[in-house]
């Protein structure tokens, strides 16, 4: 498996994957609605077939992972994408890689924590507020857990050496 930055030629495949995983192109977190098709993206490929996608927003020396999609679990796709995003963050001089997940996403919490990320904030009721921007967010999530809260996870990146 390899990862690479997405190009304009990948736009149809990215759109399809986002619709399959998220029901559309819009991802909402921390009160912001992102059109994930407009964000920088990293693809995971195996045998020239796209097997995963990560979209991100780079701002203020921080890389926010907006979406991470590995449709077939336990193949290392998510790990490869997160590793590539960490490298992109370091290359950009970012000091922090972070993301939002929801209170029902216990599998993601396990995944991210096992890869060095820490829970740094819990935002009670944030998903309820996000439904105002994206009404299609369901009331119940994974494992029939009521979906209400956002959890913020981060990975602090080592200071990058100065180019001076």
């Amino acid at each position: 498996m390899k990862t690479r930055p997405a190009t304009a030629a990948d736009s149809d495949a990215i759109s399809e994957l986002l619709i399959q995983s998220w029901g559309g192109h819009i991802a909402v977190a921390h009160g912001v609605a992102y059109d994930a098709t407009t964000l920088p993206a990293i693809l995971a490929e195996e045998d020239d077939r796209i097997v995963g996608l990560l979209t991100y927003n780079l701002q203020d020396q921080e890389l926010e992972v907006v979406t991470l999609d590995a449709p077939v679990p336990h193949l290392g796709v998510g790990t490869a994408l997160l590793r590539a995003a960490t490298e992109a963050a370091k290359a950009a001089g970012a000091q922090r890689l972070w993301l939002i997940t929801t209170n029902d996403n216990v599998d993601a919490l396990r995944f991210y924590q096992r890869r060095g990320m820490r829970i740094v904030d819990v935002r009670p009721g944030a998903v309820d507020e996000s439904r105002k921007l994206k009404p299609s967010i369901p009331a119940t999530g994974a494992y029939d857990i009521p979906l209400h809260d956002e959890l913020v996870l981060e990975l602090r990146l080592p200071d990058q050496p100065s180019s001076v």
Side-chain angles (χ1 to χ4, degrees):
M1 177 183 329
K2 67 178 183 168
T3 60
R4 65 171 177 84
T7 67
D10 300 310
S11 62
D12 288 344
I14 290 170
S15 176
E16 287 177 32
L17 188 51
L18 289 168
I19 290 168
Q20 178 185 10
S21 297
W22 298 84
H25 299 154
I26 305 300
V28 178
H30 56 87
V32 176
Y34 294 98
D35 179 344
T37 62
T38 67
L39 296 172
I42 300 168
L43 297 173
E45 293 180 323
E46 192 165 74
D47 300 325
D48 294 324
R49 187 175 51 89
I50 294 173
V51 295
L53 166 71
L54 181 146
T55 64
Y56 65 92
N57 184 37
L58 187 61
Q59 184 176 328
D60 299 327
Q61 292 189 303
E62 297 184 344
L63 187 147
E64 176 189 5
V65 174
V66 177
T67 67
L68 192 154
D69 300 292
V72 180
H74 310 295
L75 297 179
V77 174
T79 300
L81 288 167
L82 195 59
R83 187 176 301 121
T86 301
E87 292 307 313
K90 288 177 182 177
Q95 298 174 356
R96 174 182 186 228
L97 180 143
W98 68 285
L99 57 86
I100 300 278
T101 194
T102 51
N103 63 282
D104 68 311
N105 204 348
V106 295
D107 294 330
L109 287 169
R110 177 179 53 86
F111 171 82
Y112 292 125
Q113 290 179 89
R114 289 186 64 197
R115 281 142 189 91
M117 298 189 81
R118 305 273 313 265
I119 299 170
V120 295
D121 196 12
V122 177
R123 298 175 178 163
V127 177
D128 299 321
E129 289 299 311
S130 291
R131 280 191 196 89
K132 294 174 183 174
L133 297 172
K134 186 177 179 182
S136 62
I137 296 172
T140 304
Y143 304 103
D144 293 323
I145 297 172
L147 189 49
H148 296 290
D149 312 315
E150 290 181 346
L151 288 82
V152 181
L153 290 94
E154 76 173 13
L155 178 65
R156 287 288 175 181
L157 303 172
D159 287 336
Q160 303 302 310
S162 146
S163 60
V164 178

